[in-house]
Structure formats: structure tokens, C-alpha cells
Amino acid sequence: MDHFLYRDGTLYAEDAEITEIAAQVGTPFYLYSSATLTRHFRLFDEALEGIDHLVCYAVKAASNQAILKTLGDLGAGMDVVSAGEYARARAAGVPGDRIVFSGIGKTADEMRMALTGGIRQFNVESEPEMTALNAVALELGKIAPITVRVNPDVDAKTHAKIATGKSENKFGIPISRAREVYAMAAKMKGLKVIGIDVHIGSQLTELDPFRQAYEKVADLTKTLREDGHEITRLDLGGGLGIPYTHSNDRPPLPTEYGAMIKETLGNLGCEIEIEPGRLIAGNAGVLISKVIYMKSGEDREFVILDAAMNDLIRPAMYEAHHDIIPVTEAEAGIEQQEYDIVGPVCETGDTFAKSRAMPPLVAGDLVAFRSAGAYGAVMASEYNTRPLIPEVLVMGDQYAVIRARPTLEDMINRDTLPTWLED
Ligand code: LLP
């Protein structure tokens, strides 16, 4: 459930009318609902009630500080993968002891920043990284709490570009080598082993791959304890999928996911962490765009929008489907048309949908891309020198621009001319 619903024939975000926001902010823009973000965080938090846990929002999904603060104020932890994400989480008021640091390529500078600023744990992904972290910790006179991310060799049954848990993927250490890697970690004076980490992919639409991975983690917990390691925390990653269409096949709910976690891992006495990103932010955001032109091709009608692939890359990059709905509700029973919905960028890949059935559109109409809150704004670029589009957050009937559209001067002035080109 989200909070983008029609009321009196026009689309609202909570109690704010989207056409009004569009008139103020200008299109295209991203629009998020605080109530939906809150609801989604609580679903996970409640699903894990009864066991010691922390829901660490995966900052990469949508990293605006207003979003982080909305979630942080509810008690969320954060999963970060770069110095930039760490700094954002801290700037949004999240204390270091609620931040976990993931990623296969943490640099010594990033480790230094997190160790100095405060960190809950590092999820370490290789022996060389472990060696580097140990050196940084010793240099700072600190002890870095770590889990080791294991690769359980499980097929997440999702898009190949976002599956991470097969042995051929670059993530984690093979679970078959876990014992020797933990033995190595235990000898390092700058590290304190506290648990195990696993993350098998994103947009999973079945529980079974999670279950397979978590059963392996349960076995590994016992083995490592027998080896003398203190395993007190299990980080289970993110990945639970969301419905991108309003059809019947919906991915499992957080309650079902939580129940499965309790069943597979609940009796180990470990604190559980999860790192959901998409499920919290995805359906809490829409992309609002305007039709610039309607154009007739030889055998098809093109809808040319003012949003493009640089604003929302998911369709071009993963053949991802986003529902696109008119902001002004179509009259009941009106005949649908088939459209190719495209952006203005000069390449054919800048196509959001082909032969999409929609109520008739005309130039000037506003449309909303649903499920655009996660991996939308964060993956945007300035390709074609198009400014990054604004982000707006709604709470009740209030709204605020939480990232303004840069001016063309802002963008162009970031370039500097070398002396030999100065006039
Ligand atoms: N934890 C780790 C270590 C991750 O790598 C990810 C996502 C998450 C948590 C959060 O996963 P989620 O709950 O959001 O599925 N750009 C792609 C998705 C990439 C996901 C990368 N890692 C997309 O637009 O579909």
C-alpha cells in the first residue's frame, strides 16, 4: 500500500495535490511520501518483533538527507557503501553505532572515516580488505567490529545484473572457505569478529532463495561457534522485492519474510540485522513528468516526455517495468490507446515503455511513474547536460523541496578551463 491515490479525479500524494506541486516546482521531479516511508520501515520493524534486531535502511536506494532523517528518527539504522553515504547518514543525525558499512571496495580512507566517526560494524568481503582494515584500526588504536560477508552460492532468481549470491558473483567470500577466513580474522589484533553477513540480491520475489541462504548461515553459525568464534550478530542483507505492477503476483510480505527469519535463525540467540532499501523507498516515490509532444510514427504513437533515461535509468538498464499513470484520472470506461513512451535524450534506449496501454494523452498532461522511489534519483545523471531533477517530500498536506534543481550556471560553472584555454 502507498499514499499516492486519486481523489476527486486527480492524483494526490498523501493530502497534497500533485498538480499543485508540479505548478510550483516544475517538471520533471521526484516526489516521496513520508507516510509510506514510515509505514514500510515499521512493517519490517514489526515483522522482527520478539527478537533483538535492527533494520538498517540501504542508503543506496534513495539517499536524500530528508529521507534518511525521516527513517533515522524512527530508529532505523543505515547500511552504507561509501564515504559519501556514511557522511550523509551522519549528517541526517544517525549515530555511528547504527551504521553498518558494506561493499567490496572500501578504501583505507573510508575505513578511517568510519572508525573515527563511529561505526556499528564493517561487513568485510575479502582477505585483502580484512588485512587493510586491521592495519587502519591498529594505526588509529581502535578495534574494528566485523562480520564477514559469505557468498552462499544460491540463485536469487532475479535480474542477472542485481543477483549477488552465486559463486560467480564478485561478492563475499565463498562459504566453503569461511572457516579459514574467520580463523585468519581471529588472529588480527585490530579486528573483533562479531558475526556473519549475507546478501544474495535485489528484487527477490520468492522466499525460497532467502531461506536456502539463511539455512546455510545457521549451519555456519554453529560451525564457527564450535571453532571458538563469538557469533552474536547476523546481517541478512536486503533484497525483498516489491510489486512493480498492480497485478496479482505480489512478492512475499515483510511479515512472511520476518516469520521465515525467525524460523531459520531465531533460536541462535543472535541479534538480527536486515538491510532493505527498495521495499522501504520504492513505492514511497513517484516521478512526475509532463508530456511535451505527441508524435505519430509510421505505425505507432510516441509520447515524448520531459523526463528521460538520465532521470530514471531502470527501464534502459534492466528492462524494468514502471507503471505510468495520468495525474488527472481517466474517465471511467474510456478506451485505452497504445503508446511508446519516450524521453528527449538522443538515443533509442531512452524508451520507458513500448506499446503501453494508457488512457489518451495530450501535450501538457502530467504523468506519474510509480515505484520510482528506489534506485531512481540516486542513479540519475546529467547526460545531455540535463540538470538533476528536484526531489520533493510530502507529509500530510505539506510538501518541501528537499533537493533543488540546479541552474544551468551551477552545472556549467563546475567545469574549469585550463590556463592554455583562458581568453
Ligand atoms: N545490502 C547490500 C549489501 C546491497 O548490495 C543492497 C543492494 C541492499 C542491501 C539493498 O537491496 P534492496 O533491499 O534494495 O533490494 N539498481 C538496482 C538495484 C541494485 C541493488 C544493489 N544492492 C535496481 O534499480 O534494480
Side-chain angles (χ1 to χ4, degrees):
M1 202 208 105
D2 60 49
H3 291 78
F4 300 99
L5 298 170
Y6 289 113
R7 211 184 280 176
D8 302 326
T10 189
L11 196 63
Y12 275 71
E14 303 189 22
D15 298 321
E17 201 178 329
I18 291 180
T19 43
E20 245 180 70
I21 303 175
Q24 290 298 318
V25 176
T27 55
F29 62 96
Y30 279 101
L31 180 61
Y32 307 95
S33 150
S34 304
T36 315
L37 288 167
T38 300
R39 184 184 128 78
H40 289 163
F41 168 74
R42 292 217 167 110
L43 284 177
F44 278 115
D45 203 30
E46 286 161 17
L48 292 176
E49 229 165 51
I51 41 174
D52 198 7
H53 70 272
L54 184 67
V55 178
C56 296
Y57 169 66
V59 171
K60 63 167 75 72
S63 61
N64 190 291
Q65 277 185 62
I67 293 175
L68 303 188
K69 183 143 174 45
T70 301
L71 296 167
D73 285 355
L74 297 169
M78 304 276 148
D79 166 47
V80 304
V81 293
S82 67
E85 288 191 354
Y86 178 84
R88 272 182 187 278
R90 293 308 308 266
V94 181
D97 64 6
R98 276 200 261 141
I99 302 177
V100 303
F101 206 137
S102 300
I104 62 165
K106 302 173 199 82
T107 64
D109 280 344
E110 288 178 315
M111 293 167 177
R112 221 169 269 127
M113 178 181 189
L115 263 179
T116 311
I119 193 78
R120 183 177 177 80
Q121 98 227 2
F122 291 90
N123 295 330
V124 173
E125 300 218 16
S126 66
E127 290 100 322
E129 184 196 337
M130 198 176 269
T131 307
L133 181 58
N134 184 47
V136 172
L138 292 176
E139 159 203 316
L140 295 174
K142 295 192 180 277
I143 294 183
I146 67 156
T147 71
V148 176
R149 177 168 173 181
V150 293
N151 184 324
D153 195 20
V154 165
D155 183 357
K157 300 200 184 119
T158 184
H159 192 286
K161 284 187 186 164
I162 53 176
T164 56
K166 283 291 283 174
S167 59
E168 74 242 33
N169 301 133
K170 66 183 179 181
F171 299 98
I173 55 129
I175 200 161
S176 54
R177 268 204 306 142
R179 290 180 74 184
E180 64 184 89
V181 174
Y182 273 84
M184 175 179 162
K187 290 199 195 96
M188 295 188 172
K189 299 258 179 313
L191 307 181
K192 175 162 174 45
V193 172
I194 55 164
I196 306 172
D197 173 45
V198 69
H199 168 80
I200 59 171
S202 194
Q203 187 54 18
L204 272 71
T205 53
E206 295 169 37
L207 282 188
D208 197 51
F210 286 119
R211 184 189 292 278
Q212 283 176 40
Y214 297 170
E215 280 168 355
K216 291 189 180 191
V217 169
D219 288 344
L220 182 62
T221 303
K222 292 171 199 149
T223 310
L224 292 176
R225 281 177 172 167
E226 279 161 22
D227 287 351
H229 302 284
E230 254 182 80
I231 304 296
T232 57
R233 191 179 284 167
L234 302 176
D235 182 335
L236 305 178
L240 191 59
I242 62 171
Y244 275 98
T245 57
H246 283 87
S247 68
N248 289 332
D249 58 339
R250 60 161 183 84
L253 299 171
T255 42
E256 296 164 313
Y257 176 65
M260 183 273 291
I261 289 176
K262 289 180 188 168
E263 198 186 307
T264 48
L265 299 163
N267 61 358
L268 294 169
C270 286
E271 182 181 10
I272 299 293
E273 282 167 1
I274 53 171
E275 303 169 347
R278 189 189 312 263
L279 203 143
I280 291 180
N283 279 322
V286 293
L287 166 61
I288 305 296
S289 177
K290 191 191 281 180
V291 178
I292 310 178
Y293 298 117
M294 301 295 296
K295 170 172 172 172
S296 296
E298 180 139 74
D299 59 352
R300 63 192 65 221
E301 289 292 308
F302 293 101
V303 179
I304 304 176
L305 297 179
D306 62 1
M309 64 188 290
N310 68 298
D311 304 309
L312 178 66
I313 192 85
R314 302 194 68 261
M317 191 151 172
Y318 314 109
E319 294 84 40
H321 172 100
H322 285 264
D323 276 353
I324 305 170
I325 59 170
V327 169
T328 301
E329 193 173 17
E331 285 164 40
I334 199 157
E335 201 183 322
Q336 305 249 318
Q337 311 285 312
E338 271 198 6
Y339 294 123
D340 280 15
I341 302 176
V342 302
V345 161
C346 306
E347 48 182 290
T348 305
D350 187 20
T351 297
F352 291 118
K354 286 193 149 178
S355 308
R356 180 71 65 89
M358 296 236 356
L361 291 169
V362 297
D365 282 352
L366 294 178
V367 296
F369 286 73
R370 287 187 156 282
S371 318
Y375 307 111
V378 285
M379 294 181 79
S381 76
E382 292 179 343
Y383 187 35
N384 280 206
T385 307
R386 293 167 50 86
L388 290 181
I389 66 177
E391 293 181 284
V392 179
L393 180 66
V394 164
M395 191 186 64
D397 60 1
Q398 303 177 60
Y399 70 87
V401 174
I402 56 174
R403 187 181 69 194
R405 195 189 309 277
T407 64
L408 295 183
E409 289 73 50
D410 291 340
M411 293 168 70
I412 293 161
N413 289 341
R414 287 204 308 258
D415 300 353
T416 48
L417 290 181
T419 47
W420 66 88
L421 287 177
E422 280 172 3
D423 287 328

